[in-house]
Amino acid sequence: MSTRKDFIRQSAILGASSLLLPGNTFSIEQSAMQNSLKESRWADGSRLVISISMQFEAGGEPETGFDSPFPANMEKGFTDIPAKTWFQYGYKQGIPRLLDLWDKHRIKVTSHMIGEAVKHSPELAREIVKRGHEAAAHGLNWTPQYNLSYEQEKKFISDGVAIIKEVTGETPKGYNCNWLRRSKNTLAILQELGFTYHIDDLSRDEPFLIPVNGKNLGVVPYTLRCNDIQLLEGRYFSSQQFGEQLRLEFDQLYAEGAKYRRQMSISTHDRISGTPAQVRVLDEFLAYAAKQPGVKFMRKDEIARLALQDKTTVIDQDYR
Amino acid sequence: MSTRKDFIRQSAILGASSLLLPGNTFSIEQSAMQNSLKESRWADGSRLVISISMQFEAGGEPETGFDSPFPANMEKGFTDIPAKTWFQYGYKQGIPRLLDLWDKHRIKVTSHMIGEAVKHSPELAREIVKRGHEAAAHGLNWTPQYNLSYEQEKKFISDGVAIIKEVTGETPKGYNCNWLRRSKNTLAILQELGFTYHIDDLSRDEPFLIPVNGKNLGVVPYTLRCNDIQLLEGRYFSSQQFGEQLRLEFDQLYAEGAKYRRQMSISTHDRISGTPAQVRVLDEFLAYAAKQPGVKFMRKDEIARLALQDKTTVIDQDYR
Amino acid sequence: MSTRKDFIRQSAILGASSLLLPGNTFSIEQSAMQNSLKESRWADGSRLVISISMQFEAGGEPETGFDSPFPANMEKGFTDIPAKTWFQYGYKQGIPRLLDLWDKHRIKVTSHMIGEAVKHSPELAREIVKRGHEAAAHGLNWTPQYNLSYEQEKKFISDGVAIIKEVTGETPKGYNCNWLRRSKNTLAILQELGFTYHIDDLSRDEPFLIPVNGKNLGVVPYTLRCNDIQLLEGRYFSSQQFGEQLRLEFDQLYAEGAKYRRQMSISTHDRISGTPAQVRVLDEFLAYAAKQPGVKFMRKDEIARLALQDKTTVIDQDYR
Amino acid sequence: MSTRKDFIRQSAILGASSLLLPGNTFSIEQSAMQNSLKESRWADGSRLVISISMQFEAGGEPETGFDSPFPANMEKGFTDIPAKTWFQYGYKQGIPRLLDLWDKHRIKVTSHMIGEAVKHSPELAREIVKRGHEAAAHGLNWTPQYNLSYEQEKKFISDGVAIIKEVTGETPKGYNCNWLRRSKNTLAILQELGFTYHIDDLSRDEPFLIPVNGKNLGVVPYTLRCNDIQLLEGRYFSSQQFGEQLRLEFDQLYAEGAKYRRQMSISTHDRISGTPAQVRVLDEFLAYAAKQPGVKFMRKDEIARLALQDKTTVIDQDYR
């Protein structure tokens, strides 16, 4: 909420007579509306593209102050040891179990890797890549970057990339910030460093392009709606509810796929969706989705490539 | 809770002997009880009237301090960029998708429009009206008004109305305050400005009238019970639960419709119910409801008109 | 949690050698264990007794600081008007709708009445009694009483009783404190004032007796498990979940009823369970429960009477 | 989250060039990865082992500051009496009901006993042991121990053990800390005192061993995922959701049991799972699970014994 004082100042400035002068805002939204109503298709003929993210974060969590499923009532100066074992589950059971699930359904996912987590469990990072999944970048460690200076942020991103490259041999093409929170410099830095897309956007159900430093950068939208950390840890959904949510989202997006280019995004975190109950509902969902004609599971780098090559992809000229 | 001190003062004043003197309170509630037990019907013969609100707010949110689905742990002085993209979803995907849903079921809804949101996405506002939905007012911007002076509040309401009129050509007849919170002057201002009804009331399952400045103003009750922002964002209901809630409310109100004038109120916000999972459960609900004989979907201005013309509508003489 | 210092002091006092001296605690719990394992029956031959409470509170809420379903972010000094209309729903729609539900299933319930609420809606209070329901006491107004002096508390209870008597002609036999929180004097005051039972206890699934001032007082246990304010407002259960909870509780208690005296307690608040969705699931539950042989719905004063007359009722000698 | 300052210091120290020096971390995680992918079996031929914990805590809660299902708005200096009766339910109804459930399904569970709770209800403790369940230790009283000195903690553990021994005649072999939170000394103390295992670990779905003071100690992993206090009191799951969660976890672990040694862990607290609705869903789950071939219910001391004797059990060399 803006404060009352702000509000009054605003309404004083914006007299009714001056409100509707033509301007940039209007033209932006006109194109937004047109985009929403215009029919569109995937260049490869897919009816619905599903993209799964597998967050590889455990082992990269900070020593203190991390999110944890335990009550926040410990005295300062002590380590919350059982919470540490909760994170360990992510790389000891979670990712191995998820890898088996993706193999079972023959799908390839995008793994957003925190540099420190890769450094901590290099063999696991290599296994992910070996099985055909995408190694995308997710920062050097488990901290925000929206509050860094340009140089600090560039180093933060590059250092994470360097670890992924050295351990897995892959060069990340996509980027995901901690809790999606980028700074005003992030997009320019990503363009400089050779990334082809970022995912920290919830505004559309399809990929789009944004001009950054005179060249288009892909946006492959992420999700809070089918996101295990948001639903299970943030909103206390049960796994049953998570599965129902996937099904409802899918059914609607699949129906819309007849007229519009539609992407379904699903997020799975190592320690949260690598559990038996989550893998069970994901297994059921994947079997259900795969049965519908025209459904395609894609890595996010493939989606970005398709979007960048397709002349009909929406370009958001005024993205900030 | 009143404090202990208040309580003691009260109980000292209210001796048992003086409690039951006849007075206004008693007569009010006698009529309330009588109203509740008296049979009543819709003037147009409907068995149950369902009214859907579509809140058009995204694009009108303040720059900081807005509600957001992200953790509230950002450092001051930075913009929560992904939260902004969550709002953008409201006008880029949400309202266009909802408009298609209403068309599919051939129903007309009431869109409560924040002035700044209309200014930000004028084409979308016009599209809403073009498709036959009601343009109702929802304030100049996304701020409370209960704490404004009479003059400030009158300007706040009028400025929002002016934008809607200029962009859509329609003159709003109904009003909805931010979180339903009106001031002691709101009703008089609405009467002065020519509104025919307000919705910020949860007290009944049917429309009623209140005398304001010597003339009746319609009250078309709103809802927290079938309200997406309350259930999904406030209480973390799943979309599945939202759908179940609609169904339970409908079944009971429809049954009661045989004896009483019953209105079901549903609230949908652009960025919350414009999502695939929500549209899916709304779609299922609308198909289910439309199959029952005597169910009618109405804009709130129609409901207000019916209520104002009907001599049997409840008049709440002591409404404050 | 006790603080670390307390803990150390305790463990210093309680050496292992002195721990097991015979004492009161042991004998209490031995009888508790024996009671739990001993077969028992209802004196009237019922297999399961269900007791519903209908809280009549709306209209008795304080002017400020009351619980409300709205965000707690209002500026001080303003009334939360829509929250007031949420309470009004309790007496305008809620209780009338619940009364029709009880009639439909031919059951009588216990209405815990706040004195101020009765004063505010006397006709409704009389209607409750006229339809055969029990008028029980619930304090003068909507405030805690655990923090009152003996004399203050006695007056608080008596003043509430006086209103109920004057309005309905009935003398309450049972008592319920605000959020079940009694003071150390409450039981003695209730005994003095002629009450036969209180409900502010969650320790058993059957009624029991406690000696107070040399005479037994009945305890008819209340519930948080099938309590709408706890589940819907406190834990954000959906009505669907509320219905499932009732069913699960019933099925188990009914099964146990073959061997043990079992009471199921359900709590319904005017503004919370008087809504369509809640009445719908209650309606379904009541139809289901009534079909099982040996199920009996009773007012709490009847339960207390049965318990006080039955020589096999558990007497809790060391209740404090 | 680490603070920004910490982060910058870290990233300054860890230049990309120095990140990948070979070291302990790498070798640890390589073995973790290998363990996860290696097939394994239970020595006794079971396909899936299920271990249920029954927390015996009620009666051992501190006088103030305990967790409670009531609103946290009491004035200081008063006892929350109804909350006390909520705990009493644990030993008056909860454990007796759970004991009958275990008997019905002929399964033996592990009861983690707080010393003070045993002292308060000795007959109940003896009944648990008499029915064949394991008496495991859970501290002297209901307080954290992570913040105690070595000597204090040793006494805290020993004093709890002494009560259990004196009351039940059994010597606990397993240990569980308050909210799983151990100190850096706990494991050494347990080894000294002759315990064979601890449960305060969430990192794996199978038992494993850790070298402590030159000798292996068993780790029989506990759960937050099928834990009633976490799900019902911490996340407000309904009992229905608790049952669904058990079923989903079981189905996946049972499927994996064909290739891997899998343990399912369930936690039940006296006052939370000793209620009718919880016992109902547990009853249904137990009947369902028992029907699958190769499912075995075991006490945790048996699991620890199997793990310690089995040469193929994972040994976590670098456990801290």
Side-chain angles (χ1 to χ4, degrees):
Chain A
M1 304 280 165
S2 60
T3 64
R4 183 178 156 186
K5 238 176 283 171
D6 290 344
F7 148 67
I8 295 170
R9 194 173 56 239
Q10 268 183 277
S11 66
I13 294 168
L14 303 168
S17 61
S18 67
L19 278 170
L20 298 175
L21 298 175
N24 269 343
T25 310
F26 276 29
S27 56
I28 298 170
E29 298 316 319
Q30 281 168 17
S31 67
M33 187 63 203
Q34 282 156 11
N35 286 330
S36 301
L37 299 174
K38 211 162 47 182
E39 298 210 2
S40 55
R41 286 291 185 290
W42 284 96
D44 72 340
S46 300
R47 169 141 178 185
L48 176 63
V49 169
I50 303 181
S51 174
I52 299 178
S53 290
M54 176 171 69
Q55 255 58 17
F56 181 11
E57 300 176 339
E61 74 276 6
E63 275 308 294
T64 58
F66 47 75
D67 290 338
S68 131
F70 285 93
N73 61 358
M74 279 191 78
E75 278 184 38
K76 300 236 174 205
F78 295 91
T79 303
D80 195 353
I81 299 177
K84 295 293 287 183
T85 73
W86 182 74
F87 282 101
Q88 290 163 13
Y89 191 89
Y91 53 84
K92 292 188 179 175
Q93 300 279 193
I95 287 188
R97 181 178 280 129
L98 286 169
L99 286 173
D100 286 351
L101 179 68
W102 313 142
D103 280 357
K104 177 177 173 186
H105 293 276
R106 300 186 190 188
I107 64 185
K108 304 305 176 195
V109 307
T110 296
S111 186
H112 306 272
M113 297 176 169
I114 286 184
E116 294 286 348
V118 170
K119 192 177 152 231
H120 183 270
S121 309
E123 194 188 357
L124 192 54
R126 280 190 290 270
E127 182 75 18
I128 292 170
V129 168
K130 193 179 130 197
R131 302 232 199 150
H133 305 294
E134 176 188 0
H138 193 21
L140 173 63
N141 47 35
W142 199 321
T143 53
Q145 67 190 73
Y146 64 79
N147 50 7
L148 300 185
S149 72
Y150 181 94
E151 284 307 325
Q152 287 169 335
E153 189 176 4
K154 189 167 175 184
K155 179 164 173 44
F156 178 78
I157 297 173
S158 313
D159 286 356
V161 166
I163 298 176
I164 294 172
K165 265 169 127 163
E166 194 153 350
V167 169
T168 70
E170 295 288 306
T171 302
K173 294 289 176 205
Y175 198 77
N176 172 214
C177 293
N178 180 285
W179 273 110
L180 290 75
R181 282 170 171 154
R182 59 181 171 88
S183 78
K184 59 185 192 319
N185 300 315
T186 309
L187 299 180
I189 294 170
L190 294 177
Q191 191 72 289
E192 276 183 70
L193 294 174
F195 284 90
T196 63
Y197 73 95
H198 88 114
I199 71 166
D200 299 323
D201 190 291
L202 304 167
S203 68
R204 293 180 192 270
D205 293 317
E206 63 181 320
F208 60 99
L209 306 179
I210 49 176
V212 178
N213 295 347
K215 193 181 149 190
N216 283 337
L217 185 72
V219 184
V220 183
Y222 195 47
T223 179
L224 289 184
R225 301 195 312 262
C226 300
N227 185 322
D228 60 347
I229 197 169
Q230 177 78 350
L231 297 187
L232 271 72
E233 298 303 312
R235 303 193 164 201
Y236 299 156
F237 271 40
S238 67
S239 288
Q240 179 89 11
Q241 290 178 306
F242 185 78
E244 290 163 358
Q245 174 73 6
L246 294 185
R247 178 76 174 261
L248 291 169
E249 287 276 319
F250 174 87
D251 284 350
Q252 181 64 25
L253 290 171
Y254 184 77
E256 294 179 7
K259 275 181 67 179
Y260 302 110
R261 186 189 295 120
R262 283 290 172 255
Q263 175 201 319
M264 180 176 184
S265 190
I266 300 172
S267 165
T268 64
H269 290 69
D270 41 21
R271 64 223 172 269
I272 301 168
S273 279
T275 58
Q278 280 294 102
V279 163
R280 194 73 190 171
V281 299
L282 283 163
D283 192 12
E284 286 164 10
F285 170 72
L286 294 174
Y288 171 75
K291 269 189 289 189
Q292 319 307 318
V295 171
K296 198 157 184 175
F297 289 88
M298 280 189 203
R299 293 164 38 150
K300 289 187 170 57
D301 53 358
E302 294 177 79
I303 295 174
R305 195 177 40 78
L306 274 183
L308 285 159
Q309 291 172 352
D310 186 341
K311 298 291 178 212
T312 71
T313 303
V314 172
I315 302 178
D316 209 330
Q317 296 292 351
D318 299 272
Y319 200 81
R320 281 164 300 174
Chain B
M1 303 283 164
S2 60
T3 64
R4 182 178 158 187
K5 238 176 283 171
D6 290 343
F7 148 67
I8 295 170
R9 192 172 57 238
Q10 266 183 281
S11 66
I13 294 168
L14 303 168
S17 61
S18 67
L19 280 169
L20 300 174
L21 298 176
N24 270 344
T25 309
F26 277 29
S27 56
I28 298 169
E29 298 316 319
Q30 281 169 17
S31 65
M33 187 63 204
Q34 283 156 10
N35 286 331
S36 303
L37 300 174
K38 211 162 46 182
E39 298 208 1
S40 56
R41 287 291 185 291
W42 284 97
D44 71 341
S46 299
R47 170 141 177 185
L48 176 63
V49 169
I50 303 181
S51 172
I52 298 179
S53 289
M54 178 172 68
Q55 255 59 18
F56 181 11
E57 300 176 338
E61 74 278 6
E63 274 311 292
T64 58
F66 46 75
D67 289 339
S68 131
F70 285 92
N73 61 357
M74 280 192 78
E75 277 185 40
K76 300 237 173 204
F78 295 91
T79 303
D80 195 354
I81 299 177
K84 294 295 287 183
T85 72
W86 181 73
F87 282 101
Q88 289 162 14
Y89 190 89
Y91 51 86
K92 291 189 178 174
Q93 301 279 193
I95 288 189
R97 180 177 280 129
L98 287 168
L99 287 173
D100 285 351
L101 179 69
W102 313 140
D103 279 358
K104 176 177 175 185
H105 292 276
R106 301 185 188 189
I107 64 185
K108 304 304 178 196
V109 306
T110 297
S111 186
H112 306 271
M113 298 176 168
I114 286 183
E116 295 286 347
V118 170
K119 193 180 151 228
H120 183 270
S121 308
E123 194 190 358
L124 192 54
R126 281 190 289 271
E127 181 75 18
I128 292 170
V129 168
K130 192 180 131 197
R131 302 233 201 149
H133 306 294
E134 177 187 358
H138 193 21
L140 173 62
N141 48 34
W142 199 319
T143 54
Q145 68 189 75
Y146 64 80
N147 52 6
L148 301 184
S149 71
Y150 181 93
E151 285 307 326
Q152 288 170 335
E153 190 177 2
K154 190 167 175 183
K155 178 163 172 45
F156 178 79
I157 297 174
S158 311
D159 287 355
V161 165
I163 298 176
I164 294 173
K165 265 169 125 161
E166 194 154 351
V167 170
T168 71
E170 294 289 304
T171 302
K173 294 289 175 205
Y175 198 78
N176 172 214
C177 294
N178 180 284
W179 273 111
L180 291 76
R181 281 169 171 155
R182 60 183 171 88
S183 77
K184 59 186 192 317
N185 299 315
T186 310
L187 299 180
I189 295 171
L190 294 177
Q191 192 71 290
E192 276 183 71
L193 294 175
F195 284 90
T196 63
Y197 73 95
H198 88 114
I199 72 165
D200 298 324
D201 190 292
L202 304 167
S203 69
R204 292 180 193 272
D205 294 317
E206 64 180 320
F208 59 98
L209 306 178
I210 50 175
V212 177
N213 294 348
K215 192 181 150 191
N216 282 337
L217 184 72
V219 184
V220 182
Y222 195 48
T223 179
L224 289 184
R225 301 194 313 261
C226 299
N227 185 321
D228 59 348
I229 197 170
Q230 176 78 351
L231 297 187
L232 270 72
E233 297 302 313
R235 303 193 166 202
Y236 298 156
F237 270 40
S238 66
S239 288
Q240 178 88 10
Q241 289 178 306
F242 185 77
E244 290 163 358
Q245 175 72 6
L246 293 186
R247 178 76 174 260
L248 290 169
E249 286 276 319
F250 175 87
D251 284 350
Q252 181 63 26
L253 290 170
Y254 185 76
E256 294 179 6
K259 275 180 68 178
Y260 302 110
R261 184 190 295 121
R262 283 289 172 256
Q263 175 201 318
M264 180 176 184
S265 189
I266 300 173
S267 166
T268 64
H269 290 70
D270 41 22
R271 65 221 173 268
I272 301 168
S273 279
T275 58
Q278 281 293 103
V279 162
R280 195 70 189 174
V281 299
L282 283 163
D283 192 12
E284 286 164 11
F285 170 73
L286 294 174
Y288 171 75
K291 269 189 288 190
Q292 320 307 317
V295 171
K296 198 160 187 174
F297 290 88
M298 280 190 203
R299 292 164 40 148
K300 288 187 170 57
D301 54 356
E302 294 177 80
I303 295 175
R305 195 177 41 78
L306 274 183
L308 285 159
Q309 291 172 352
D310 186 340
K311 299 291 177 209
T312 71
T313 303
V314 172
I315 302 177
D316 209 329
Q317 297 291 350
D318 298 271
Y319 200 82
R320 282 164 302 173
Chain C
M1 304 284 164
S2 61
T3 65
R4 181 177 159 187
K5 238 177 280 170
D6 289 345
F7 149 67
I8 295 170
R9 194 172 57 238
Q10 266 182 282
S11 67
I13 294 168
L14 302 169
S17 61
S18 67
L19 279 168
L20 299 174
L21 298 177
N24 270 343
T25 310
F26 278 29
S27 56
I28 297 169
E29 298 317 321
Q30 282 169 16
S31 66
M33 186 63 203
Q34 283 156 11
N35 286 330
S36 302
L37 301 174
K38 210 162 48 182
E39 299 208 1
S40 56
R41 287 290 184 294
W42 284 96
D44 73 341
S46 300
R47 170 142 178 185
L48 176 63
V49 169
I50 302 180
S51 173
I52 298 178
S53 289
M54 178 172 68
Q55 255 58 17
F56 181 11
E57 299 175 340
E61 74 276 5
E63 275 310 293
T64 58
F66 45 76
D67 290 338
S68 131
F70 286 92
N73 60 357
M74 280 192 78
E75 276 185 39
K76 300 239 173 203
F78 296 91
T79 302
D80 195 353
I81 299 177
K84 294 294 288 183
T85 73
W86 182 73
F87 282 101
Q88 289 162 14
Y89 190 89
Y91 52 85
K92 291 188 179 174
Q93 300 279 190
I95 288 189
R97 179 179 280 130
L98 287 168
L99 286 172
D100 285 351
L101 178 69
W102 314 140
D103 279 357
K104 176 178 175 185
H105 293 274
R106 301 187 188 185
I107 64 185
K108 303 304 177 196
V109 307
T110 297
S111 185
H112 306 271
M113 298 176 168
I114 286 184
E116 294 286 349
V118 170
K119 192 179 152 228
H120 183 270
S121 309
E123 194 191 356
L124 191 54
R126 280 189 290 271
E127 181 76 17
I128 292 170
V129 168
K130 193 180 131 196
R131 302 233 200 149
H133 306 294
E134 177 189 358
H138 193 23
L140 173 62
N141 48 35
W142 199 320
T143 54
Q145 67 190 76
Y146 64 81
N147 52 6
L148 302 184
S149 71
Y150 181 94
E151 284 308 324
Q152 287 169 335
E153 189 176 3
K154 190 166 174 182
K155 179 165 173 43
F156 178 79
I157 298 173
S158 312
D159 286 355
V161 166
I163 298 175
I164 295 172
K165 265 168 125 161
E166 195 154 348
V167 170
T168 72
E170 293 290 304
T171 303
K173 292 290 176 204
Y175 198 78
N176 172 214
C177 294
N178 180 284
W179 273 109
L180 289 78
R181 283 171 170 153
R182 58 182 171 87
S183 77
K184 59 186 192 315
N185 300 315
T186 310
L187 300 180
I189 294 170
L190 295 177
Q191 192 70 288
E192 276 183 72
L193 295 175
F195 284 90
T196 64
Y197 74 95
H198 87 113
I199 72 166
D200 298 324
D201 189 292
L202 304 167
S203 68
R204 293 178 192 273
D205 294 316
E206 64 181 320
F208 59 100
L209 306 178
I210 50 176
V212 177
N213 296 347
K215 195 181 148 190
N216 284 335
L217 185 72
V219 183
V220 182
Y222 196 47
T223 180
L224 290 185
R225 300 195 312 261
C226 300
N227 184 322
D228 60 348
I229 197 169
Q230 176 78 351
L231 297 187
L232 272 72
E233 297 302 313
R235 303 192 165 201
Y236 298 155
F237 271 40
S238 67
S239 288
Q240 178 89 9
Q241 290 179 306
F242 185 77
E244 290 163 358
Q245 174 74 5
L246 294 185
R247 177 76 174 260
L248 290 170
E249 287 275 319
F250 175 86
D251 284 349
Q252 181 63 25
L253 290 170
Y254 185 77
E256 294 179 6
K259 275 180 69 178
Y260 302 110
R261 184 191 296 120
R262 284 288 172 257
Q263 176 201 318
M264 180 176 184
S265 190
I266 300 171
S267 166
T268 63
H269 290 70
D270 41 22
R271 64 220 173 269
I272 301 168
S273 279
T275 59
Q278 280 293 102
V279 163
R280 195 71 188 173
V281 299
L282 283 163
D283 192 11
E284 285 164 11
F285 170 73
L286 294 174
Y288 170 76
K291 271 190 288 190
Q292 320 307 317
V295 171
K296 198 160 186 174
F297 290 88
M298 279 189 203
R299 293 165 37 149
K300 288 186 170 56
D301 55 356
E302 293 177 81
I303 295 174
R305 195 178 40 78
L306 274 182
L308 285 158
Q309 290 171 353
D310 186 339
K311 297 292 178 209
T312 71
T313 303
V314 173
I315 302 177
D316 209 330
Q317 296 292 349
D318 298 272
Y319 199 82
R320 282 164 303 173
Chain D
M1 305 284 163
S2 61
T3 65
R4 183 178 157 185
K5 239 176 284 171
D6 289 344
F7 149 68
I8 296 170
R9 194 173 55 239
Q10 266 182 280
S11 65
I13 294 169
L14 301 170
S17 62
S18 67
L19 279 169
L20 299 174
L21 297 176
N24 270 343
T25 311
F26 277 30
S27 56
I28 297 170
E29 298 316 322
Q30 282 169 15
S31 66
M33 186 63 203
Q34 283 155 11
N35 285 331
S36 301
L37 300 174
K38 210 161 49 182
E39 298 209 1
S40 57
R41 287 290 185 292
W42 284 96
D44 71 340
S46 299
R47 169 142 179 185
L48 176 63
V49 169
I50 302 180
S51 173
I52 299 178
S53 289
M54 177 172 69
Q55 254 58 18
F56 181 11
E57 299 176 340
E61 74 276 4
E63 275 310 294
T64 58
F66 46 76
D67 290 338
S68 130
F70 286 92
N73 61 356
M74 280 191 77
E75 278 184 37
K76 300 238 173 206
F78 295 91
T79 303
D80 194 352
I81 298 177
K84 295 293 288 182
T85 73
W86 182 74
F87 283 102
Q88 289 163 14
Y89 190 90
Y91 52 84
K92 290 187 179 176
Q93 301 279 192
I95 288 189
R97 180 179 279 130
L98 286 168
L99 286 173
D100 285 351
L101 178 69
W102 314 142
D103 280 357
K104 177 178 174 186
H105 293 276
R106 300 187 189 186
I107 65 185
K108 304 304 175 192
V109 306
T110 297
S111 186
H112 306 271
M113 297 176 168
I114 287 183
E116 294 286 347
V118 170
K119 192 180 153 227
H120 183 270
S121 308
E123 194 190 356
L124 191 54
R126 281 190 289 271
E127 182 75 18
I128 291 170
V129 168
K130 193 179 131 196
R131 302 233 199 150
H133 306 294
E134 178 188 358
H138 192 23
L140 173 62
N141 47 36
W142 199 321
T143 54
Q145 67 189 74
Y146 64 80
N147 51 6
L148 301 183
S149 71
Y150 181 93
E151 284 308 324
Q152 288 169 334
E153 189 177 5
K154 189 167 175 183
K155 179 163 173 44
F156 179 78
I157 297 173
S158 312
D159 286 355
V161 166
I163 298 175
I164 295 171
K165 265 169 128 162
E166 194 154 349
V167 169
T168 71
E170 294 289 305
T171 302
K173 294 289 174 205
Y175 198 77
N176 172 213
C177 293
N178 179 285
W179 272 109
L180 291 77
R181 282 170 170 153
R182 59 181 171 88
S183 78
K184 59 186 193 314
N185 300 314
T186 310
L187 300 180
I189 294 171
L190 295 177
Q191 192 71 290
E192 275 184 70
L193 294 175
F195 284 90
T196 63
Y197 74 95
H198 89 113
I199 71 166
D200 298 324
D201 189 291
L202 303 168
S203 68
R204 292 178 192 273
D205 293 317
E206 63 181 320
F208 60 100
L209 306 179
I210 50 175
V212 178
N213 295 347
K215 194 181 149 189
N216 283 337
L217 185 72
V219 184
V220 182
Y222 196 47
T223 180
L224 289 184
R225 300 194 314 260
C226 300
N227 185 322
D228 60 348
I229 196 169
Q230 177 78 350
L231 297 187
L232 271 73
E233 298 302 314
R235 303 192 165 202
Y236 299 155
F237 271 41
S238 67
S239 288
Q240 178 90 9
Q241 289 179 305
F242 185 77
E244 290 164 357
Q245 173 74 4
L246 294 185
R247 178 76 174 260
L248 290 170
E249 286 276 318
F250 175 86
D251 284 349
Q252 180 64 24
L253 290 171
Y254 185 76
E256 294 180 6
K259 276 180 67 178
Y260 302 110
R261 186 189 294 120
R262 284 289 172 256
Q263 175 201 319
M264 179 177 185
S265 190
I266 300 172
S267 166
T268 64
H269 290 69
D270 41 21
R271 64 220 173 270
I272 300 167
S273 279
T275 58
Q278 280 294 101
V279 163
R280 194 70 188 173
V281 298
L282 283 163
D283 192 11
E284 286 164 10
F285 170 72
L286 294 173
Y288 170 76
K291 270 189 287 190
Q292 321 306 320
V295 171
K296 198 157 185 176
F297 290 88
M298 280 190 204
R299 292 164 38 147
K300 289 187 169 58
D301 55 356
E302 293 177 80
I303 294 174
R305 194 177 42 78
L306 274 182
L308 284 158
Q309 291 172 354
D310 186 340
K311 298 293 177 208
T312 70
T313 303
V314 173
I315 303 177
D316 210 329
Q317 296 291 351
D318 298 271
Y319 200 83
R320 280 165 302 175

